[in-house]
Every structure is written in structure tokens, then in C-alpha cells.
Amino acid sequence: MATGERRGSARTAVVWDALDRVLAGEPRDVLDVGGGTGGFAVRVAELGHRVTVVDPSPDALASLGRRAREAGVEVTGRQGDLADLAAEPKSADLVLCHGVLEVVDPGEALARIREVLRPGGQLSLLVAGRHSAVVTRAMAGHFQQALALLDGDDGARTGGRTGRRFTADEVRGLLEGAGFTTRATHAVRVFTDLVPGSLLDLEPGSSAALTELERAVAERPEYLPLAAQLHFLAD
């Protein structure tokens, strides 16, 4: 396995652990908002679920189609954005919203997702963490960006392209405001982005050990501020 693949596995293991529990059982209707090339959608389809990806990029949807065909599964791709979700109220059992709140109006987005979920449906929400970004910017020598991120919430203020970053309390407040109840919060990528790729290449078993470490701290609240991403399950 190449270094990128090993690192990618450690980056997503915590989220997949949570999703595997949610998706156990009978086939469900899953909507992946901003799912792009299908990094999550194809695997969910491989588990036997009916998956639709809504994304504004035709190129990403084309890549999604190729990936789904290579995996031998069917995933429906639709070009659009959150505004298009209103056309299908109460149509999803699970909505994946990963890396989307950073670049849209968070309150409006969550309200639309609330409308598309069926009663008893769940939301998997993945956002960029603010505290970790401050440390990362400072370690790279971008001290003014780090200062701006301390209280700012958008990429324009920090010169970046990733949009808003969040604290766990901010996200819980947004979820509550949209009528959701937070059921679980996970720290994601606490260590993975800090580990040199050369270590994963040279040390046998290092990738598995890194993944185990990420899993070990995922539900410890004291590690949430150190996480590059924050994952929430809500209903």
C-alpha cells in the first residue's frame, strides 16, 4: 500500500467506524451532499445501500460514475447544490454532509438537510476544526493567518481556500438551531496530518498503529481541539 493510501486509511477510519454502525442492517436511502468523486458514496453503495450524490461539479460527477462502474455498483449522480434538496423532502434515511458547511451558509444548509431527512433519519456531518488549524498555521510560520483564525470563521480572512472552520461547541449550536440532536462527536485526524510520510514507509506496522491511535482518542473530548476535522452524528 502506498504512503498516500495508508495515510488516507488513518484519516477516514474514525468516520467509517461511525458510519458502519449507522449503516448496519437493511438497505437505506443515502444522500451524499457535495460528495464529489464518491470517496464515501461508492463504499456505502458497496454495503448494499441506495446512494445519491448531489454535487455542483460535472467533472466530479463524471469521476464518480467511473469509480462506481469500476467497483461494480450503482450510484446516482445529480448536478446541483443544497438549494435543490427542497425538491425531495423526507426522501433520505441518512445524509452525508462532509466538508460542505465550510463553504455554504451553515444554518441554511442544516435546515435544508433537516427537511430532506425522513423521521428517524440521521446526519453524518464532517467539518474542519478551528483550533487545529491555528496550530498548523503557526507551525508553518503563517502567524498572521493563525491570529486571524483565533476568532475568524472564513478563509477570506486567513488567505485560505477552505472556508470556515469550527469548534465543536459551534457545530453543536448550529445543529440544535436546525432542530437536530447531537448523538455522537468524534475527533478526526488528530495525529495523522502531523506524522511524516517517511515514517509510514520505513516503520513496519506504523500505519495500523496510527489508525489504532486515532480510534483510541476519537471519543475523548479533550482531543477535540487537536482534531483537524470534527465528525458529528445527529438526528
Side-chain angles (χ1 to χ4, degrees):
M1 184 184 294
T3 301
E5 293 174 334
R6 288 194 292 267
R7 190 183 295 272
S9 177
R11 282 174 171 166
T12 60
V14 168
V15 179
W16 277 116
D17 287 348
L19 289 180
D20 284 341
R21 291 190 290 269
V22 171
L23 292 168
E26 72 280 357
R28 301 178 190 179
D29 293 311
V30 179
L31 175 64
D32 190 349
V33 180
T37 61
F40 278 88
V42 170
R43 179 166 165 180
V44 171
E46 289 177 320
L47 295 174
H49 301 283
R50 299 174 292 272
V51 186
T52 299
V53 172
V54 175
D55 195 278
S57 169
D59 292 338
L61 292 174
S63 296
L64 163 68
R66 289 192 296 270
R67 178 178 282 185
R69 288 191 295 273
E70 290 171 359
V73 296
E74 182 176 345
V75 177
T76 300
R78 286 173 28 207
Q79 187 174 358
D81 56 26
L82 283 160
D84 299 305
L85 299 186
E88 298 185 29
K90 304 294 186 291
S91 60
D93 301 303
L94 172 67
V95 172
L96 309 183
C97 182
H98 296 172
V100 175
L101 285 200
E102 292 86 340
V103 295
V104 299
D105 181 282
E108 181 179 331
L110 291 172
R112 290 192 180 277
I113 290 171
R114 175 81 272 177
E115 293 172 359
V116 83
L117 275 173
R118 291 172 178 149
Q122 290 184 277
L123 166 65
S124 170
L125 179 65
L126 187 65
V127 302
R130 181 184 297 168
H131 297 310
S132 174
V134 172
V135 175
T136 301
R137 294 291 195 281
M139 290 177 63
H142 303 308
F143 304 122
Q144 292 303 317
Q145 292 184 19
L147 279 169
L149 270 172
L150 284 174
D151 299 308
D153 65 354
D154 61 73
R157 287 187 59 182
T158 61
R161 298 182 180 180
T162 56
R164 299 177 184 84
R165 294 178 182 273
F166 301 87
T167 67
D169 286 342
E170 286 171 345
V171 177
R172 293 190 191 103
L174 287 166
L175 287 167
E176 182 178 356
F180 286 95
T181 299
T182 301
R183 299 301 182 185
T185 305
H186 306 110
V188 178
R189 289 166 49 192
V190 175
F191 306 105
T192 301
D193 295 359
L194 305 176
V195 175
S198 58
L199 187 150
L200 298 180
D201 282 332
L202 297 175
E203 294 292 331
S206 60
S207 178
L210 175 59
T211 300
E212 181 181 0
L213 181 60
E214 291 282 2
R215 284 171 164 152
V217 302
E219 296 187 28
R220 298 191 181 193
E222 63 268 30
Y223 285 90
L224 286 171
L226 303 177
Q229 292 180 304
L230 307 171
H231 180 246
F232 301 81
L233 289 176
D235 56 23

